[in-house]
Amino acid sequence: MRTVRWGEVLKRVDGGALWSDLEAICALGGRFAGTESEVLARDFLAGRLAEACGAAPVAHAVEYQGWTRGEATLEIAGGRTLFCVALVRSPATPPGGLEAEVVDLGRGEAADFERCAAAIPGRIVLVRHEYMFAAGTVHRRRKYAWAMERGAAGFLIASHLPGELPVTGSSGAEPGRGIPAAGVSAETARHLNGENGSNPRIRLRIASEAGPACTENLILDLPGRGPGRVVLAAHIDGHHLAQSAMDNASGLAAALAVAGALAPCCERLERGLRIALFSIEEWALAGSRHYVEGLGPEERAAIDLVLNLDSVAGSPRLTALTSGFEGVERFVLETAGAAGLELRAHRPLMANSDHYNFAVHGIPALRLVAGFDEPSSNLKYVLTPADTLDKIRPEELEGAALLAATLALRACATPELALR
Ligand SMILES: [Zn+2]
């Protein structure tokens, strides 16, 4: 059997195709789950995977509690109406709106909730969005949960960036358990500060509908010589405010490029490559959770490594979030170093993308992400109307795809890969 020449494989990571795939995905919109944009993107990806790999992916149906966004507004004193964005899965307010006072908790970390505990019941709490790609981030869903636990009537999260950029994201509400939640711009938040520390009264109106829905994960299995697999993952869905270009059209385009580069040689490699394009990642990682929970013990044991590509452009600096697996960290740093590619690693398990669902089942898994601990990078625009194509430089995307292809190839080719 012909040996695999690594240089030839990596040469197939073609910058031109990468960029045209990225543009095509962005042109289909933000891919919010349950919208036509999501369906069109999935169809496009299935077609491109089949073209690039010579085999069509299988669609795995995932039933979930769907949610449709309606109008959302915020009315302040004097009847002035300001723009806000319902967070994903926010319950609707009563038709007349939710009228309550706002209590501004600043950033909204645990200590802020503690300090203002007496002022929270029955009020709408206001907290700040923060840079998500960092070790010390307090996730929006934690802030939301604290607000609920302390008896808040509603939840507002304000952008930390100037420029009329409201933020979106998941609320963490579940059917029957949630309070109305919306994102606002930094400028809007300024209208919510009462004079002399008073709590201004506002009326929050959110229309939304929930009901059973179905989406699909796309799985393409490219067998190798043995039973082992390397899973290359990226999430399809995004948000409605923009193109979700960095998060995660970048990961999808890179995954297509890696799949196309490795497909012709997979059967000659030690283990196969499985491309897994998940949906409803923005729904608390629901698509990948459904997939991992559906795997039997032998199937899980056969997965030697998961490479999750999520937000891999917007900065040229890439970090592997290695989910507590020391062996994974060593493997990726050695592999990148030997190839002369820059890569950093961050070891604690982070529940911020689909790799988490594999890692909690003991499957070695990492997320490749750009801009980690780099709050001034373009990744700061993720979840805002500014997550658009112009925030990505072609060389960033090429660098990410080349690194991902190098890691995937080495993982597929290495005879003994004991990363557990
Ligand atoms: Zn993402």
Side-chain angles (χ1 to χ4, degrees), residues 133 235 237 246-248 281-282 310-311 352-353 367 382:
F133 307 95
H235 71 85
D237 63 314
M246 289 175 283
D247 183 13
N248 185 29
E281 190 267 354
E282 307 287 3
D310 188 356
S311 309
N352 57 13
S353 187
R367 172 185 181 175
V382 164

Side-chain angles (χ1 to χ4, degrees), residues 17-28:
L18 250 178
W19 194 256
S20 67
D21 282 337
L22 178 73
E23 282 181 326
I25 297 163
C26 288
L28 296 173

Side-chain angles (χ1 to χ4, degrees), residues 167-380:
V167 287
T168 184
S170 56
S171 63
E174 286 167 22
R177 185 171 183 273
I179 52 176
V184 296
S185 68
E187 290 77 7
T188 294
R190 255 177 247 136
H191 291 286
L192 304 176
N193 286 317
E195 282 169 23
N196 306 322
S198 67
N199 302 101
R201 204 163 181 82
I202 65 164
R203 186 189 300 272
L204 176 66
R205 277 198 183 87
I206 293 176
S208 66
E209 268 177 45
C214 191
T215 185
E216 288 170 350
N217 294 327
L218 294 178
I219 310 294
L220 175 57
D221 194 56
L222 302 169
R225 292 198 322 219
R229 288 291 182 276
V230 171
V231 172
L232 178 71
H235 71 85
I236 300 172
D237 63 314
H239 290 283
H240 74 300
L241 287 172
Q243 298 168 323
S244 303
M246 289 175 283
D247 183 13
N248 185 29
S250 67
L252 292 167
L256 286 177
V258 176
L262 266 67
C265 65
C266 273
E267 59 184 20
R268 285 177 282 140
L269 296 170
E270 191 66 31
R271 53 188 69 71
L273 182 71
R274 183 175 301 154
I275 296 98
L277 304 184
F278 296 117
S279 201
I280 46 176
E281 190 267 354
E282 307 287 3
W283 246 252
L285 318 178
S288 56
R289 187 172 64 236
H290 180 271
Y291 177 75
V292 180
E293 285 176 356
L295 296 175
E298 280 182 23
E299 290 171 298
R300 288 182 194 166
I303 299 173
D304 292 306
L305 181 64
V306 177
L307 293 171
N308 177 32
L309 309 183
D310 188 356
S311 309
V312 295
S315 159
R317 276 168 289 280
L318 292 159
T319 301
L321 310 181
T322 53
S323 316
F325 291 94
E326 193 183 342
V328 171
E329 189 166 307
R330 206 178 316 117
F331 171 80
V332 296
L333 292 179
E334 271 175 24
T335 304
L341 301 171
E342 195 193 324
L343 177 66
R344 292 181 297 176
H346 179 76
R347 199 182 298 169
L349 175 61
M350 297 193 81
N352 57 13
S353 187
D354 292 321
H355 60 291
Y356 175 80
N357 286 320
F358 291 88
V360 290
H361 283 98
I363 301 169
L366 69 90
R367 172 185 181 175
L368 199 62
V369 64
F372 192 74
D373 271 338
E374 238 190 300
S376 60
S377 76
N378 278 345
L379 278 298
K380 65 179 177 279

Side-chain angles (χ1 to χ4, degrees), residues 15 68 72 79-80 113 143 150 157 166 233 236 245 265 278 301 333 350 411:
T68 311
R80 190 166 164 210
F113 279 90
K143 299 179 181 185
R150 292 189 182 271
I157 186 162
I236 300 172
C265 65
F278 296 117
L333 292 179
M350 297 193 81

